[in-house]
Amino acid sequence: MASPAKKNSPRSYDVRAKNTAITALMASLALIFSYVEAIIPYNPGVPGIKLGIANIVTLIALYRLSEKHAFVVNFVRIIIAGLLFNGVFGALYSLGGATLSLIGMILLKRTEKFSIAGVSMAGGVLHNMGQLLIAALILQDGKIFLYFPVLLFSGMIAGIVIGLGASVICQRLQHI
C-alpha cells in the first residue's frame, strides 16, 4: 500500500504548483470579467447596480477548489481591479461587499442545504449590504440604508443569474 504524500514530497510540490497556477488563472479570468463589466455601458436607472459576472469565477473556485482559493481569487481580483478601474474607494466598497458576501456564501455552502444559485443569491444580497456598511461608515450617515430595498432586490436577481451560470459551468467541469 502506498503511503500518503508527505508535505515536502515532490508530489505535494506538484499539487501546490498546480493549485497556485489554477488560482492565478482564475483570478486573471475574474479580472477580465471585471474589466468587461467596467467597459459595458449598463445603466438600469439605478446607480450602483451591476450583474457581477466576475463572481462566477469566485463561485467556481469555492465549489471546485476550496474556501481558501475562493478568497484568494476574490481578493486578488478586487485589489487589482481597484487599482486599474475603480480607484481606492471603489476597491474599498468592493472589498467590504466581497468579504461579507464570501463569508456568508462559505457558511451557507457548509450547511449543504442550498444550491449554488441559492448560495450565490445570498452572496449578492450580502455584497450589497457590505457596500452599504462601508458607505455608512465613510459618510457617517445611516440614511444610506434607505437604499437597501433596491439593492436587496437587485442582489437577489443578480445572485440567481450568476449562480445559475456557475452551476452550469461546475456541472460541465465534473466531466473534465
Side-chain angles (χ1 to χ4, degrees):
M1 180 186 282
S3 64
K6 294 180 182 175
K7 188 171 185 169
N8 294 325
S9 70
R11 186 177 179 323
S12 71
Y13 286 126
D14 290 345
V15 170
R16 285 190 301 203
K18 179 181 174 184
N19 284 339
T20 300
I22 289 171
T23 304
L25 286 170
M26 291 182 86
S28 300
L29 181 60
L31 184 61
I32 290 168
F33 285 161
S34 291
Y35 175 69
V36 168
E37 197 161 53
I39 64 171
I40 292 174
Y42 175 74
N43 185 357
V46 182
I49 293 179
K50 294 189 316 182
L51 186 56
I53 56 177
N55 294 319
I56 289 175
V57 181
T58 302
L59 279 166
I60 294 168
L62 180 61
Y63 277 86
R64 297 287 298 171
L65 298 174
S66 72
E67 296 167 0
K68 180 178 91 173
H69 290 94
F71 175 79
V72 170
V73 166
N74 217 14
F75 184 77
V76 167
R77 174 191 59 91
I78 289 167
I79 297 302
I80 295 174
L83 293 172
L84 294 176
F85 320 128
N86 304 325
V88 175
F89 282 107
L92 188 61
Y93 288 122
S94 291
L95 197 55
T99 300
L100 188 59
S101 173
L102 192 55
I103 290 169
M105 290 192 304
I106 287 169
L107 293 174
L108 289 177
K109 179 185 178 283
R110 285 181 183 177
T111 69
E112 298 181 1
K113 294 182 180 184
F114 298 91
S115 67
I116 295 177
V119 168
S120 177
M121 180 182 72
V125 171
L126 289 170
H127 184 87
N128 289 341
M129 176 56 86
Q131 288 188 325
L132 283 177
L133 286 169
I134 297 295
L137 288 171
I138 290 173
L139 299 173
Q140 297 182 349
D141 188 357
K143 291 179 185 175
I144 192 83
F145 290 104
L146 294 172
Y147 194 47
F148 184 66
V150 173
L151 293 179
L152 172 72
F153 182 71
S154 68
M156 290 172 66
I157 299 296
I160 290 170
V161 170
I162 295 303
L164 291 173
S167 180
V168 168
I169 293 169
C170 282
Q171 288 172 357
R172 293 192 180 183
L173 286 175
Q174 286 180 346
H175 303 295
I176 297 176

